[in-house]
Amino acid sequence: DVCSSDLVPERKALSFEEVRKAAADKSRQGFTAEVKALIEKYGAEKLSSVKPEDYEAFMKELEEISHAG
C-alpha cells in the first residue's frame, strides 16, 4: 500500500469537501446550532469562510461535539 502523502505532500490537508460533509453529517444528527457556533468561533459567517489552515482544528472540534452531550 503506497502512501499517497509521499507522492503529494500537500494532500494531507483536508479539503473543503471533507469539512463540508462532516459538518453536514453533524447537522443531520441534530447539532446544527453547535456547528454554527463552531463556524462563528473560527471567525466565519458560513462554512466556506473558514480558513483552510483551520480545517484540521475545526474538524477535531466538530468530532468532539457529540461527545460533549
Side-chain angles (χ1 to χ4, degrees), residues 7-42:
L7 307 171
V8 188
E10 67 272 12
R11 183 58 199 117
K12 286 185 295 200
L14 289 160
S15 70
F16 171 70
E17 194 58 36
E18 290 170 294
V19 175
R20 188 197 60 74
K21 183 182 183 311
D25 288 345
K26 220 29 116 174
S27 287
R28 274 197 297 275
Q29 291 166 22
F31 297 106
T32 307
E34 290 87 342
V35 171
K36 185 165 175 42
L38 186 59
I39 291 168
E40 290 171 357
K41 177 182 176 181
Y42 282 88

Side-chain angles (χ1 to χ4, degrees), residues 27-69:
S27 287
R28 274 197 297 275
Q29 291 166 22
F31 297 106
T32 307
E34 290 87 342
V35 171
K36 185 165 175 42
L38 186 59
I39 291 168
E40 290 171 357
K41 177 182 176 181
Y42 282 88
E45 283 184 33
K46 52 186 187 280
L47 188 61
S48 58
S49 300
V50 174
K51 296 185 199 81
E53 60 266 26
D54 290 334
Y55 288 173
E56 199 168 323
F58 181 88
M59 287 286 276
K60 189 171 172 59
E61 290 195 57
L62 193 63
E63 289 168 16
E64 292 168 1
I65 287 175
S66 60
H67 303 303

